[in-house]
Structures are given as structure tokens and as C-alpha cells.
Amino acid sequence: MPDPPVPDPLGTPLAKAPGVSAALARTLEEAFDHTSVRDLLEHYPRRYLTRGELTDLAHAKKGAEVTLVGTVRNLAKKQPRRNLRILEVRVVDDSGAWVCTWFNQPWHAQKLTVGTVAAFSGKLAWKAGRLGMANPGYEVLREGDDPEEFANEVIPVYPASKEVSSGRIRRAVGALLDRYGDVPDFVPEPLRRAHGLPDRAGALEAIHRPGDRAQAARARDRLVYDELFVLQVGLALRRRAQEAGQQGRPLQTDGDLTKRLLASLPFQPTGAQSRVTAEIGADLARSKPMHRLLQGEVGSGKAQPIHSLVLTPSGFKRMGAIGVGDEVINPTGEITVVTGVFPQGLRDTWRVVFSDGTSAECDDEHLWLVKTSCGWHRGDRPHVKTSRQLRNDLTKKNGSSKWYIPVAAASELECGEERPLDPYLLGLLLGDGSFRVDQYDPHPVAAALERLGLHGARSRDEHVPRAYLIAPSKVRHAVLQGLLDTDGTLNARQGRNVTFLSASKQLATDVQWLVGSLGGVARIRPVKKLGKVHFHVSVRLPNEYPPFRLRRKADLLRPLTRYHQFRRAIRRIEHVGLRPVQCISVAHPNQLYVTDNFAVTHNTVVSLWALLCAVQSGMQGAIMAPTEVLADQHGINLRGLLEPLGEGGGLFGGPRVEVLTAATTGASRQRVLEGVASGEVDLVVGTHALLSEGVEFQRLGAVVVDEQHRFGVHQRVRLREKGDSPHVLIMTATPIPRTLALTLYGDLDVSTLDELPPGRTPIATHVVADATLRERAYQRVREEVAAGHQAYVVCALKDESDKVEVRSAKAEAERLRAEVFPDLRVGLVYGDMPAREKEATMDRFRAGEVDVLVSTTVIEVGVDVPNATVMLIEDADRFGLSQLHQLRGRVGRGEAPGLCILFADPLTDEGRARMDAIARTNDGFELANEDLRIRGEGTVFDARQSGLSDLKLARLIDDFDWVRRARADAFALVEADPELTDPAHRRLRQEVLARLGDGRAEWLARG
């Protein structure tokens, strides 16, 4: 017999709660949909204010928020018009008087009688020739009261409306806390202790009535954890319900079909494809059905030659020697772990040369974090650009460098070698350049120099030993100070321009290395001195690493201002030739690591392989796509890839593939249905038509749902129910932020294809708001067609009868044919045009018989025409970021670079933010994060209608660490107690039901 429900006082209706009148309850319901005590207690502050500084009138700053203590001298009540009553209270302290004014708040006169001492907080301003405060807060003081406490009180500011103010909400919440604040805790005590979280009652009190901001922050952490933990418990229960009673069939992953497929592929699978294939293979080999989300991205081919150097805590290491799990240095000086290594074979490589004479090699798709010179001064966000984009836009009109890369911050290094000499002394000796070992003999310095391999005698081969280069920052700094104190100079007039001169090229290079390792910049140039070549090093260091220790030099040094940014210009990019290259991925969220010379750098076959695992195990596979165009494209691709295997049940007995959509009718449809039912069709690709009642599989073993965001949960369930617990792979090419994947798809295992297939080229994106530039955009289309390529023109709607003011596809196609491209072949496709016409047009476009294809978003996914290089999108600001990213991905799929031109003149901040983001980066994961920031989590959850609870406090991007912790805790707890029947989890079970509701719980159970 189930336990009786635990009483939940938080479910009390607001209208029956103390401190909340019936009128206020109605207002809160109308304004915020709050109906219960729980709703109002979870109406959290959006920010906090602290009352002004406690001072007296003589020292108070006019126009500032201050707190003044004074005595009420007199009161005046005025009513200049019928609906306006004014209360003026004159207050004095030892240095003067001021007037506090309230409008339509006569009740303050009852507390502020003549002679009352109070602390008043507000903005002090001159008005009508006198000092005053408008509507100040105040606290009546009695003997022994401390006005400092009132001045420093933290005041919560709540989301409010025209009908109910923040102050009114604050008072109502306070009344509820007094009555219902002692709430029971549903998070098990061991979890609270593990994360150092306060109990729930204390957290609610602290977030609404904090003693200080730090207390409010700790309370927020606890309540964020609550939201995410309950959500993840619900997802864990859903996963458990899915697997309960399901006995999936293990599939053969290393059979003849999969081996022949991999051997026959016309390209080398990327490292990410190989990694994801292994993850899926491990699932398919289990007796439990697979539930995995596969997300792909086309924007991260960050490859460098294997001889390139990557900075690690023990010094630079060859790219080719880097392995998964190795530690590398992030540009912010933090240590991060390599999570993936992806050899890319031979590629054309380029040498990027910087203004200090150093360089780094990479391929054309390598990503660089850059800004213009002005952008650095303004503090703009950096751009992420490929080497190819930089090559095509390298200089300004005057020929000077346009792009600058950031400098890596100082990091802690350690090679573990002996340092027998004080680092500053070593620098002094090396900088002097005239020491001899024998002049110190038998002094211990001589022995130390010998052990370091230094021999003195003005050698032009002097250098800084490795033990002092790969060393903690304080050691490197001391060596550098010793070098500069002896052989460094300072322009005394300017107080800057530090230089170092050495006869040893290696020593000059080591100085440059030391400067770069401390977050500075240095440039080497050869100079002639007394007929011999010396090496002149110009040095600029951050203020926290002064170049000199010697007082007479240090006193002349002027610190750098904030306008002296550390950066290096990209001077030129030179072709090197074919080199073996690879790319790595790192765990740090900014995906950056440090490479040669302290340069900061950015770091579909899978589904067929999974389906063939089912086929070679004697079962069938199905792919469900959202559109007929995508289904047809899948059919074409599958048949092409399977042709070497004898696709169609031919001579070699290969798999038979069929396509089933609404366009499949009559005898063709009957033939496909019979083949699927009998098992003769091994792989079927379809749209929603696969869900119809007439579709029966003989033995469905694996299901792939493509572009999952275009389907509802129940549609996926219906397809899965057509088999006997088949393995399910859900795919999306729309990148999902890691935090969102762990919440929206928390019941699924997640795999990510995070690198470009070899040969895929980046896409340049430009936003065009000026009508005068439209003709130039059309000219680019003509140029691409003249070069043998093709173009897309995308419109949102197909017919002018639509009321939204956007260009219609039909009218646009007619206009382009008649006025813009009369000499080109212009085609048209849209969603509900007759299937045969649509298929015929797409076939002509693939065959190169159509130069410009005008389309609605029907081509958003799955259309793969490598010859298409340019896309124009009308009214682009009306599209979402993910949709724009998908559309843009239709070009640049061959060897030629892609170009996307967005016609947009957004009128809203959100529209402008979307256009800025899509033009700034090709990184779909960055765009997904930006989309989440712009739209907010609430919009994302509402659009899915998934039954997940609202996130009132948590922010998925900012609170990723709590997402990760809550997920781990929730899944471990449900694994140990699948039904939450443990008495210690009784309140947690009720909380899950209260937050998700009976209907949502049912949805979770069904999956």
C-alpha cells in the first residue's frame, strides 16, 4: 500500500494565506499566474539594492544614494488637486535640514511624529531651492538601535507589474515566510552536505531576506540545485521507465556489411565519426535498447601540422605527440585536458606570420580569435575567423594589418629539472655576457654554472637553461629581471620602451620566450654594432611583471595604461604545402589552447552504420525525416553509399532500400508496404508516412529519427512501438548547448560530431541592410554562376496572401527571372507544391540544370548539392538562429568556399542580436548558446511543450556546473531507488509530482 501523501502547506491558495488579501491574490494570478503559496515563495528577486552610505548632511553627496539619521521637526500635508495628497516631513541633524516627501502615502505621518528619530535612505537632491528625498525608505530608531544595520540592509527587487509593485510583493512574501517559511527539505541530507548547501528553509529565507549579498548568493545556489535536481530526477525516472521490461536484442557491430561499408567509403571518416561510431556500437551490443542523441556540427575543422607545438605544463609538446587525457595550457593560464585527438591526413597548410616575427602553421579551416586594433581598444567581443577568411581580408585599405590576435596570459610551468643557481643571479650573469667559470672557481657559482652547461667567456651561444624557461612564473620573471637589469635599457624620457641587446641569437630568442610566457610581447630584430650582428629585443610586459629590479631603472619606469593592449598583428599568411595535420579538442569551455610562440588558437555515415548493424543481425532499419526533400536526399545518399555492397538485393545480396512518403502512392506504395511487412525491404526511409496504420514491419531492430526537433515526442514513440524494443538513434544537425542537452535530453546518452569532414569549407556570412548593396549581392551570384557554381535564394513564405510582410517565393522567382537574372535558369520549390514537380526541380538543380533555386525553408535540412556556393536569405531577421545556421549549411559543401548573404534590417534588439551572432561565427554550438541567451530558457521549454518544469532561477549556460552535479546525483539516486520508495526519499517523490504534475509524470513514464 503506497504511503499517504505528505501534507504540503505550500499548496495553500494565496487568497487563504495570511498577509495576502483577496484583491492582491487576484492581481498576482492575473499578472504572474500565481495561485498558491509555493508560487509566490518561488517568485524570486531579480536583483538586490543596498541602501546608501550612512553619513551626515554636511558630508552627503548631492545626487547620491545616502542614509541620513535625523529628528523630525515638523510635518505638512498638502492636496494641490483632488487625486494628489503630499506629505512633507522636515528632518534635521547637527549640520542642517532636509525635506522628505511622499505622494499619496499619508500613513507615514502616523510613525513620523514630531521628535521621532529615524534613519532615512534615498537619493538626496536639490529641488525648489531645498534639499530633499522623494519617497525614501526609513527606519524609526529607538535607544540602542544601530542605524548602520539599516543603511547596509540588502533590499530585494522583484519582477513587478503596473498593478503590483516590488515593495508590495516584498511585504507579501515576508508575511508568507513568517507563516510557511519552515518548509521541509526534500533533498537528502548527504547530498546537501556534499555540495555545502544550506537547508531549504534557510535558503528561502536568505534569498528573500538576505543579511548580505554573499548569503543571497549561497541561497541561490541551493535553489538552483533544487530546480535542476528535481528535473533530473524526473528524467532519470523516465529513462528507468523506458528500460523497465524492455529486452532489446544485441546487434552484431563487426559483421560483413559494416566492414564492407567502412572499406568502401569514398572518404576517410573523421576522428569524431570514429569516436561516435564506437559509442553507438557499445550501445547496440547491449541487451538494453539504445536511446542516444547524436548531434552534429559543421564548423570546427581546427587542424595544425603534427610538428606544431602545443603548450603544456611541462613546456611545448609536438601536436603529433598529444594524446587524449594530456594536459595543455588555456590562454587564460589555466590547465585543461585534451578530450579528443583527430588526425586529418595530408592537407594544404599555411604559415601565419605575426608582427613580432613569430609564426604558426595551420590549415585553411583553422579558427582564430581576432579583433581589429580599434576593437581591442573598445573592448569588443572577438571574432572567430578561419585562416581562409583572414587571407581574403588581411589588410586595411592603407595596407596596414587589420586583425590582431590576443596574447596568452602568464601560466605556471614546471619541467622538474634542477635549478642550482638563484634565477635572478643567473639572469645577471647571462645579461652581463662576460663571466667566466674560472673567475668564480672554486666558488659554488662555478659548479652551478657547469651543471647548467654554461661556460661564459662572451660566448655567442649563451642561452637560458631549460630548467629556468619551463619554470614557475616567479622563476621566469626573476631570470628576465636579471637579464634586463644588466643588459636592458629604458627610454628614460618616455619611461617605457624597454629593450635588450645580445650577441647571442639564442639568448635573444629566450628573452622573447620569457616575455611571451609572462603575458607580454617581444620582437627581435638584428642590428649591427661595431661591425658585428647583435640582436635587439623590444620588450613590453604587463604591469604585474615589472622588467627591472634595479632601483635606478625601476624608478624611471612608467606603468602601462589600460589602452596599451597586448596583442600581435597578423602580417601575412604564406602557403607552405601539404603536411600531415590533426586537431584536438579540449575540456575548457572556451575551447582555446596555446600553440607555437604563444599563439592563441581555437579549437551522417554514423546512422547508416547503425542501421547496417540491424540488417546484418537479420533485422530491419528505418529512418524518419521531417520533409520529403530530406527523405529523398537520404534515399539517394544511402543508395550511393550502398552501391558497392550490391544495394537492392542484387548479385551480391546487398540491402534493399525504399523511400516512403506522402508522394509514394498507388502501386508503388503497395509494393513498398508489402516489402516492409515481409522483411524483403531492409532499410526504409520516410516522413510521417512511416507512422500510418498501414505500415507494418516484420522485425524492426533500429530506428533513426533525423532532425528530431521537427518531431514531437509522441511521434517518436509511435515509430518505436512499430518494433519490439528497437534501438533508437535521435539525430540533429542543429547544435544543442551541452547544458540544454543534459536537461531537455537528460534521459538520453549524447554523442557529438564536432569536426568538419575533410574538404568541407567555411562559409562567409554578411548582413546587408542597405538597399544599395543588394545589386552587389546579385552580382556575386552572377560571378559564382559564371564560375560554374549555383545559388539559393530563400524566402519565408510561398504566397503573397500570407499577411506577414515578407517576400513570397513565387513572386520572388518571377521577379528574379524577369528583372534580375533573365539570362540565368531560375527554379522554384516550396513545401506543398506537387511532389513530382518538387522532385523534378531538385533533380535538375542537383544535375546543374538550374543556376538559381528560389525556395522556402523546405531546403533547410538534408539538401546536399556540393556545387552550390552562395545563398541569399530574404528578411533574415525573421528567422531563428538555428534555422539560419541550417540554411547556411547548404552551401560550402564542396571544395569551393561558401557565401551567405542575409538581407535584413532588424528593428528590435533581439533581431539585431541574432544578425550579429550569425555573422560573427560559424560555430553552431556558440550560436546555440547565443540563441539560448537571447530567447531565454523559458521560451525553449515552452516551445517544446515537453512537460519539463519551468526554470525560475537556474540559467542553463551560467549554471552548467550545477546542471552536471544535479544530473549525477539524480541518476545515482534513481539507480539505487528506482521507485523512490525509501522513506528518506518520500518528500522528494512528492516534490517531483508537485513540480511535474500527474500529466507530466505520465509523460515522463511514457518517454
Side-chain angles (χ1 to χ4, degrees):
M1 182 176 178
D3 292 332
V6 182
D8 182 18
L10 298 188
T12 303
L14 275 177
K16 296 181 179 180
V20 180
S21 66
L24 179 58
R26 285 194 300 272
T27 302
L28 290 171
E29 182 174 5
E30 292 169 0
F32 304 108
D33 200 27
H34 293 342
T35 59
S36 67
V37 168
R38 175 193 293 273
D39 292 337
L40 191 52
L41 287 181
E42 292 180 357
H43 187 94
Y44 299 119
R46 56 186 175 88
R47 61 190 176 95
Y48 296 91
L49 298 176
T50 305
R51 300 192 195 279
E53 177 188 7
L54 180 64
T55 182
D56 59 16
L57 189 63
H59 297 93
K61 294 181 180 179
K62 311 308 181 284
E65 293 282 348
V66 296
T67 296
L68 302 174
V69 176
T71 304
V72 176
R73 275 288 176 261
N74 53 57
L75 296 86
K77 298 179 181 180
K78 303 177 181 178
Q79 189 169 0
R81 57 178 184 268
R82 188 177 62 179
N83 295 325
L84 178 61
R85 287 185 291 175
I86 300 175
L87 172 65
E88 292 182 347
V89 177
R90 186 169 180 268
V91 188
V92 299
D93 67 6
D94 292 340
S95 56
W98 69 97
V99 176
C100 298
T101 305
W102 288 271
F103 301 92
N104 290 330
Q105 299 177 56
W107 55 84
H108 295 301
Q110 299 172 18
K111 291 185 177 181
L112 298 174
T113 57
V114 174
T116 300
V117 179
F120 298 87
S121 180
K123 181 179 288 188
L124 188 64
W126 282 100
K127 189 172 183 181
R130 63 185 184 181
L131 280 172
M133 292 179 176
N135 295 312
Y138 63 91
E139 181 80 11
V140 174
L141 300 177
R142 294 171 177 81
E143 187 173 352
D145 287 348
D146 184 2
E148 189 77 44
E149 293 182 4
F150 171 73
N152 293 325
E153 184 182 359
V154 178
I155 308 300
V157 179
Y158 292 85
S161 70
K162 183 179 179 180
E163 291 75 22
V164 57
S165 67
S166 173
R168 184 69 188 92
I169 293 174
R170 183 167 66 249
R171 290 190 292 274
V173 169
L176 295 186
L177 283 174
D178 293 338
R179 172 65 176 82
Y180 301 100
D182 190 20
V183 296
D185 213 317
F186 57 83
V187 173
E189 197 272 338
L191 294 181
R192 299 201 308 270
R193 190 171 59 247
H195 299 305
L197 296 171
D199 61 40
R200 183 165 176 79
L204 280 172
E205 174 71 24
I207 202 164
H208 290 296
R209 296 191 290 211
D212 53 42
R213 291 177 183 267
Q215 193 179 73
R218 290 192 296 272
R220 182 188 181 278
D221 284 344
R222 164 61 207 259
L223 297 172
V224 163
Y225 178 84
D226 285 358
E227 289 184 353
L228 296 170
F229 179 62
V230 170
L231 173 60
Q232 293 290 347
V233 168
L235 290 166
L237 291 171
R238 183 174 96 177
R239 177 64 175 266
R240 192 81 184 186
Q242 285 177 336
E243 294 184 347
Q246 290 188 353
Q247 191 65 31
R249 172 172 173 174
L251 301 183
Q252 186 180 4
T253 59
D254 59 348
D256 180 60
L257 281 179
T258 50
K259 289 179 180 177
R260 285 162 60 194
L261 171 71
L262 295 177
S264 67
L265 289 177
F267 53 85
Q268 181 68 29
T270 66
Q273 287 173 329
S274 300
R275 168 173 49 82
V276 169
T277 299
E279 292 171 354
I280 293 174
D283 284 354
L284 296 177
R286 296 170 59 225
S287 58
K288 289 288 186 181
M290 174 178 69
H291 300 282
R292 183 169 288 273
L293 170 69
L294 172 61
Q295 56 175 345
E297 164 58 348
V298 289
S300 52
K302 303 176 278 287
Q304 291 188 284
I306 59 174
H307 68 256
S308 296
L309 301 176
V310 178
L311 185 61
T312 75
S314 58
F316 278 117
K317 187 175 181 180
R318 288 179 64 254
M319 169 68 80
I322 294 290
V324 174
D326 285 355
E327 292 182 335
V328 297
I329 301 292
N330 188 262
T332 54
E334 300 165 86
I335 295 175
T336 185
V337 177
V338 175
T339 56
V341 176
F342 313 115
Q344 301 292 299
L346 287 174
R347 284 195 188 175
D348 261 337
T349 58
W350 301 78
R351 181 179 297 111
V352 180
V353 181
F354 306 113
S355 55
D356 60 357
T358 61
S359 63
E361 292 184 3
C362 58
D363 71 352
D364 234 359
E365 284 76 53
H366 196 80
L367 297 178
W368 295 93
L369 213 66
V370 294
K371 296 185 191 180
T372 63
S373 179
C374 291
W376 282 106
H377 282 301
R378 290 193 301 260
D380 294 347
R381 292 185 63 181
H383 300 275
V384 177
K385 290 185 175 289
T386 64
S387 307
R388 183 195 302 273
Q389 288 173 314
L390 294 174
R391 280 195 299 113
N392 295 332
D393 188 25
L394 193 59
T395 60
K396 295 188 281 191
K397 290 182 179 180
N398 63 6
S400 62
S401 296
K402 182 174 182 178
W403 300 107
Y404 293 75
I405 69 166
V407 172
S411 55
E412 296 303 317
L413 308 174
E414 181 56 78
C415 65
E417 296 181 9
E418 181 188 13
R419 301 185 187 98
L421 204 60
D422 177 85
Y424 180 69
L425 175 59
L426 175 67
L428 291 174
L429 295 174
L430 289 173
D432 179 66
S434 60
F435 72 88
R436 296 177 60 89
V437 171
D438 55 10
Q439 78 184 83
Y440 297 100
D441 194 48
H443 196 278
V445 172
L449 292 170
E450 283 283 15
R451 289 209 303 273
L452 292 171
L454 297 171
H455 308 293
R458 295 184 181 276
S459 169
R460 302 181 70 84
D461 297 318
E462 289 302 280
H463 63 280
V464 179
R466 183 174 185 271
Y468 293 81
L469 291 174
I470 316 301
S473 57
K474 64 179 182 180
V475 174
R476 304 197 305 271
H477 184 213
V479 174
L480 183 60
Q481 283 186 318
L483 287 163
L484 294 174
D485 274 354
T486 50
D487 215 8
T489 59
L490 171 71
N491 185 318
R493 184 170 59 85
Q494 294 181 343
R496 299 196 180 100
N497 294 354
V498 178
T499 59
F500 175 83
L501 190 68
S502 175
S504 167
K505 182 177 182 180
Q506 183 58 55
L507 186 57
T509 302
D510 289 344
V511 168
Q512 184 182 46
W513 197 98
L514 287 169
V515 172
S517 75
L518 294 173
V521 290
R523 181 179 182 182
I524 301 175
R525 58 184 177 89
V527 296
K528 278 198 173 182
K529 184 179 180 183
L530 301 176
K532 294 183 178 180
V533 175
H534 286 63
F535 298 91
H536 179 278
V537 187
S538 58
V539 173
R540 179 176 289 174
L541 284 162
N543 288 330
E544 58 264 36
Y545 292 101
F548 304 109
R549 190 179 292 186
L550 197 63
R551 177 60 59 191
R552 63 182 176 81
K553 291 185 176 183
D555 287 346
L556 297 173
L557 184 72
R558 293 174 58 191
L560 299 177
T561 68
R562 65 187 183 91
Y563 297 105
H564 287 85
Q565 298 286 345
F566 291 95
R567 57 183 184 271
R568 288 184 284 172
I570 298 177
R571 290 283 190 248
R572 59 187 184 275
I573 302 179
E574 307 164 340
H575 185 252
V576 175
L578 287 175
R579 294 276 177 87
V581 300
Q582 75 175 29
C583 53
I584 64 175
S585 60
V586 297
H588 197 282
N590 66 16
Q591 295 299 297
L592 301 173
Y593 57 94
V594 179
T595 183
D596 304 64
N597 299 304
F598 297 96
V600 174
T601 188
H602 213 327
N603 179 16
T604 29
V605 169
V606 174
S607 60
L608 174 58
W609 182 88
L611 294 173
L612 287 184
C613 289
V615 174
Q616 66 191 10
S617 301
M619 306 184 81
Q620 296 167 287
I623 299 180
M624 186 166 69
T627 66
E628 292 178 10
V629 170
L630 181 54
D632 291 337
Q633 184 74 56
H634 274 313
I636 293 170
N637 290 343
L638 289 181
R639 290 183 175 116
L641 289 168
L642 292 175
E643 188 174 359
L645 281 65
E647 185 272 327
L651 180 63
F652 300 101
R656 176 181 166 187
V657 178
E658 294 289 355
V659 176
L660 182 66
T661 69
T664 311
T665 57
S668 297
R669 177 180 175 81
Q670 188 61 33
R671 177 180 57 81
V672 172
L673 292 177
E674 291 174 357
V676 171
S678 66
E680 294 178 7
V681 173
D682 300 293
L683 301 176
V684 59
V685 182
T687 56
H688 297 76
L690 291 177
L691 304 176
S692 57
E693 293 184 5
V695 181
E696 299 292 339
F697 291 84
Q698 185 190 60
R699 203 175 188 192
L700 182 60
V703 171
V704 173
V705 180
D706 197 10
E707 293 306 315
Q708 55 75 35
H709 62 284
R710 303 282 287 273
F711 294 101
V713 173
H714 296 294
Q715 291 169 317
R716 300 204 306 259
V717 171
R718 284 173 58 193
L719 180 59
R720 192 173 68 221
E721 289 173 348
K722 287 184 175 289
D724 184 14
S725 299
H727 298 275
V728 178
L729 179 65
I730 298 170
M731 300 199 310
T732 176
T734 302
I736 301 166
R738 177 71 175 154
T739 49
L740 201 55
L742 287 177
T743 47
L744 290 180
Y745 305 102
D747 61 315
L748 300 171
D749 299 307
V750 180
S751 294
T752 302
L753 288 171
D754 52 5
E755 56 179 301
L756 278 170
R760 185 66 60 82
T761 55
I763 304 162
T765 304
H766 302 282
V767 179
V768 174
D770 190 343
T772 60
L773 297 177
R774 181 178 284 271
E775 181 52 42
R776 175 57 189 143
Y778 290 148
Q779 182 60 33
R780 285 291 290 117
V781 172
R782 294 188 192 94
E783 292 168 3
E784 290 297 313
V785 172
H789 302 305
Q790 296 162 278
Y792 296 99
V793 176
V794 179
C795 305
L797 300 173
K798 68 178 177 61
D799 194 85
E800 285 188 345
S801 62
D802 291 294
K803 295 181 180 180
V804 183
E805 295 178 359
V806 293
R807 295 178 180 275
S808 72
K810 286 182 177 179
E812 183 67 0
E814 293 171 3
R815 188 183 73 85
L816 292 177
R817 289 186 186 114
E819 302 174 16
V820 182
F821 304 126
D823 53 331
L824 302 182
R825 298 166 294 181
V826 178
L828 170 66
V829 293
Y830 50 87
D832 57 358
M833 73 186 297
R836 291 183 180 178
E837 292 180 28
K838 181 165 52 181
E839 187 175 342
T841 302
M842 290 304 302
D843 287 342
R844 289 173 55 220
F845 188 62
R846 294 188 188 99
E849 298 171 5
V850 172
D851 300 314
V852 179
L853 182 66
V854 181
S855 171
T856 59
T857 55
V858 68
I859 57 106
E860 176 186 347
V861 292
V863 175
D864 188 5
V865 182
N867 195 47
T869 57
V870 61
M871 172 176 286
L872 310 183
I873 303 180
E874 295 285 355
D875 300 288
D877 53 311
R878 296 184 182 271
F879 294 84
L881 269 180
S882 62
Q883 195 171 35
L884 288 173
H885 186 57
Q886 283 282 14
L887 289 167
R888 176 172 63 180
R890 299 311 100 200
V891 298
R893 302 176 75 85
E895 295 182 358
L899 172 65
C900 181
I901 298 175
L902 308 175
F903 293 129
D905 187 12
L907 300 177
T908 65
D909 290 340
E910 180 178 325
R912 285 187 287 271
R914 287 202 308 273
M915 294 303 97
D916 290 345
I918 195 72
R920 183 176 65 246
T921 180
N922 276 296
D923 186 334
F925 289 99
E926 181 181 339
L927 286 175
N929 276 322
E930 189 66 23
D931 197 28
L932 193 58
R933 285 191 184 95
I934 293 170
R935 293 194 293 150
E937 286 88 347
T939 305
V940 175
F941 282 97
D942 290 345
R944 285 183 47 82
Q945 297 178 349
S946 59
L948 297 178
S949 63
D950 297 329
L951 296 182
K952 297 173 182 174
L953 202 57
R955 295 294 175 264
L956 295 181
I957 294 175
D958 299 330
D959 297 317
F960 172 64
D961 187 52
W962 286 117
V963 174
R964 180 179 55 76
R965 294 192 208 181
R967 175 177 168 81
D969 293 345
F971 275 70
L973 186 146
V974 171
E975 181 69 25
D977 184 11
E979 303 297 330
L980 300 185
T981 54
D982 188 315
H985 302 150
R986 186 182 176 195
R987 293 192 183 278
L988 174 61
R989 179 182 179 84
Q990 180 164 333
E991 187 71 16
V992 172
L993 289 173
R995 287 185 180 271
L996 301 182
D998 292 338
R1000 291 178 175 186
E1002 184 276 331
W1003 179 86
L1004 287 174
R1006 188 174 185 199

